Amino acid sequence: MKSLKKCVIVLTLGLFVSVELFAEEEIKSIYELNITDAVELAVSNNLSIKENKISLDGYKRKYRYSWNSISPSISASASYAKPVAPSEDGDDTKTLAGTLSLSLSPSLYTTMKTAKLNYENGKLSYDTAVRTVELSVRKAFYKLLYEQDNIKLQKQNLASAKKQYDQNLQKYNQGGISRLDVLSAQVSYENQKPKVLAAETTYENDLASFRQTLGIKQNSEVKLSGSLDELLKIGDISIEDIIAEAPEIAKLEKQLEIAKTAVLASRFSAYGPTITGTYRIQDAKTGDADDTKTGSVTVSVSIPLDGWLPWSSDAQTIANSKDTVKTLELQLEDEKTSVLVNTESYLRSIEEAKTTIKSLEASVDLAQQTYDMTLTAYSRGTKDLLSLQSALDSLLEAQVNLKSEAYTLISNILDLENALGIPFGTLVNNVATKS
């Protein structure tokens, strides 16, 4: 009995150790990602993309076998007849028959073309799904970089406030300053703590969403490789040498082509003849008589006439198909205008962000000089604590605004690349190459 208890205890401890090691292994999942790694990870794990891939495979399969309407129809039959009341000549009859039938109609062409266009449209939808995920990942990646910088700046401000508080407390204990200056420094220090906590909370929430987008576990550690400082060096953005095909325009053009094929298909259905050829062979044997073999070839032509009646369903189908074509043509023209307007808008926003960045860089330099000079003056007693705190706040605000504008710049560039349908990173790499 004692040995059994020992075994149970050993097994239980072993189980706890295994669970602990497994949990520790789970926590040690670390992802060191640059922007390219993050995109590849998200694309490989995203459920929406996987669903679109299944749909695309279905369109591809239909396109591959879209000719199957001309596949011959083959049938075979056998029968055995025995008289219920046998007579002098009532012998059993055995029959074997086979039929081969083939139909041809103009609809075969539109069926195959529609299958091809649907497959191509499916590829556009799949590419759009991938680009949507990639755009989301890239924006989230740069936003996390901004939030990391924001946390760093807020912590630096907190450290400066703490240092100032400690120095004032020391001066107060030596009788150099009043209790009010100490309390003011302490208030400034305590007020900075919630700002750091808020920045960290925002970062953790966005990081959790980022893990979900990447399709990795929430207890995984994510380390991002990159810096917003690289974006501050972006020069002029030009799209003159860029070969662009806006995704929305491409999709509407493909839908318009499908709609025009549908008009042709409805016309074929309403007016097109159908030719059917049938070959039948039969082998019959009755009693001891010789086999009787017969065969026949039948060719028939069927021409629908309902399409000539303007109130018929076929005629209405043709009219509705034409209406769809007209609607898509209007949508295509409107989308071309929208892409042009959006492109110009993004370009203006990019230039605005670049101009703002230059001003903010100058503001950071001035704020840093102001703070350094104010700190020196405060140490000499020629500036009060309020002036020092105001200079520190101005410096922090200028630094945060600069990082925020860098994120705004890359967001506008990503939106422009998405609107033009060019690979993400094209404009930034193009600028980097030229510079």
Side-chain angles (χ1 to χ4, degrees):
M1 188 67 177
K2 291 182 178 179
S3 60
L4 179 61
K5 289 182 178 180
K6 290 181 179 179
C7 289
V8 171
I9 292 173
V10 170
L11 289 173
T12 303
L13 290 175
L15 178 62
F16 282 134
V17 170
S18 299
V19 171
E20 186 67 26
L21 289 175
F22 178 76
E24 184 178 353
E25 187 68 25
E26 289 271 307
I27 295 175
K28 288 183 178 179
S29 297
I30 300 176
Y31 293 88
E32 297 183 4
L33 305 172
N34 57 29
I35 188 69
T36 303
D37 298 332
V39 169
E40 291 177 353
L41 187 61
V43 170
S44 63
N45 292 336
N46 187 267
L47 296 179
S48 177
I49 292 178
K50 291 180 180 179
E51 291 175 358
N52 274 273
K53 184 62 168 60
I54 294 174
S55 299
L56 179 60
D57 291 340
Y59 287 125
K60 184 178 182 180
R61 187 169 56 252
K62 290 179 181 178
Y63 169 48
R64 181 183 300 172
Y65 300 113
S66 58
W67 54 267
N68 60 7
S69 62
I70 62 171
S71 178
S73 174
I74 303 174
S75 65
S77 63
S79 65
Y80 171 76
K82 182 178 180 62
V84 178
S87 60
E88 194 171 313
D89 57 351
D91 295 324
D92 299 348
T93 301
K94 306 177 185 66
T95 303
L96 293 175
T99 302
L100 178 64
S101 180
L102 179 65
S103 294
L104 293 174
S105 72
S107 298
L108 172 64
Y109 168 75
T110 54
T111 299
M112 296 179 67
K113 185 174 182 180
T114 300
K116 178 183 178 182
L117 293 175
N118 284 334
Y119 173 54
E120 293 173 349
N121 190 52
K123 287 196 292 186
L124 291 176
S125 297
Y126 176 77
D127 292 340
T128 298
V130 173
R131 288 183 64 84
T132 300
V133 172
E134 183 172 356
L135 177 64
S136 175
V137 171
R138 286 179 178 271
K139 282 191 173 183
F141 186 93
Y142 286 116
K143 185 178 181 182
L144 289 173
L145 289 182
Y146 159 69
E147 290 174 350
Q148 285 181 343
D149 288 345
N150 183 42
I151 291 174
K152 182 179 179 181
L153 293 172
Q154 296 292 347
K155 285 185 175 180
Q156 288 177 354
N157 196 41
L158 177 64
S160 298
K162 177 66 166 59
K163 180 180 179 180
Q164 194 58 54
Y165 167 65
D166 292 339
Q167 290 178 349
N168 282 12
L169 183 61
Q170 183 180 4
K171 290 179 180 180
Y172 170 75
N173 292 331
Q174 295 173 353
I177 59 175
S178 66
R179 176 65 176 170
L180 181 59
D181 287 337
V182 177
L183 292 176
S184 297
Q186 186 176 6
V187 168
S188 178
Y189 168 58
E190 295 297 335
N191 286 340
Q192 185 58 30
K193 289 181 179 179
K195 296 179 181 179
V196 174
L197 180 60
E200 291 176 336
T201 301
T202 300
Y203 175 76
E204 290 299 330
N205 290 339
D206 290 340
L207 184 59
S209 298
F210 188 64
R211 290 192 187 98
Q212 183 179 8
T213 303
L214 297 182
I216 61 178
K217 296 181 179 179
Q218 286 297 320
N219 60 356
S220 302
E221 183 178 352
V222 177
K223 296 181 179 179
L224 304 181
S225 175
S227 173
L228 291 179
D229 293 337
E230 302 171 358
L231 305 177
L232 302 177
K233 303 174 184 179
I234 293 178
D236 295 334
I237 298 291
S238 175
I239 60 174
E240 293 180 0
D241 300 330
I242 300 296
I243 300 176
E245 185 179 13
E248 293 303 319
I249 292 179
K251 289 176 65 176
L252 283 173
E253 288 176 339
K254 191 62 63 178
Q255 291 174 14
L256 179 58
E257 196 173 353
I258 292 173
K260 289 181 178 179
T261 305
V263 173
L264 186 59
S266 61
R267 284 174 174 168
F268 283 160
S269 177
Y271 309 123
T274 300
I275 302 175
T276 303
T278 303
Y279 174 69
R280 177 178 173 81
I281 186 172
Q282 179 176 300
D283 186 357
K285 181 177 178 60
T286 302
D288 295 331
D290 294 337
D291 292 358
T292 301
K293 296 182 179 180
T294 59
S296 64
V297 176
T298 304
V299 177
S300 62
V301 178
S302 173
I303 301 177
L305 299 176
D306 288 348
W308 299 101
L309 304 176
W311 57 83
S312 66
S313 60
D314 287 338
Q316 293 302 310
T317 299
I318 294 174
N320 292 335
S321 299
K322 290 181 177 179
D323 291 342
T324 302
V325 170
K326 293 177 182 178
T327 301
L328 287 172
E329 286 175 342
L330 294 175
Q331 292 179 359
L332 180 59
E333 290 302 316
D334 182 62
E335 186 61 34
K336 288 179 179 179
T337 303
S338 296
V339 170
L340 180 60
V341 171
N342 290 336
T343 299
E344 292 175 350
S345 176
Y346 289 134
L347 287 172
R348 285 193 293 268
S349 297
I350 290 171
E351 290 303 315
E352 178 186 355
K354 287 166 53 184
T355 302
T356 304
I357 284 174
K358 291 181 180 179
S359 298
L360 289 173
E361 287 178 327
S363 296
V364 170
D365 291 338
L366 292 174
Q368 184 67 57
Q369 295 177 28
T370 301
Y371 173 73
D372 293 339
M373 294 173 65
T374 305
L375 179 61
T376 301
Y378 177 78
S379 301
R380 294 175 178 174
T382 58
K383 286 286 185 179
D384 57 13
L385 180 61
L386 182 59
S387 299
L388 179 61
Q389 292 173 348
S390 177
L392 182 59
D393 291 340
S394 298
L395 175 59
L396 175 64
E397 182 180 2
Q399 291 171 330
V400 172
N401 287 341
L402 178 60
K403 299 293 184 179
S404 176
E405 198 63 30
Y407 172 69
T408 299
L409 173 61
I410 191 60
S411 294
N412 286 322
I413 292 176
L414 290 172
D415 286 333
L416 176 59
E417 291 173 334
N418 187 55
L420 294 176
I422 60 179
F424 291 107
T426 298
L427 296 179
V428 176
N429 291 335
N430 190 41
V431 170
T433 302
K434 290 183 178 182
S435 59

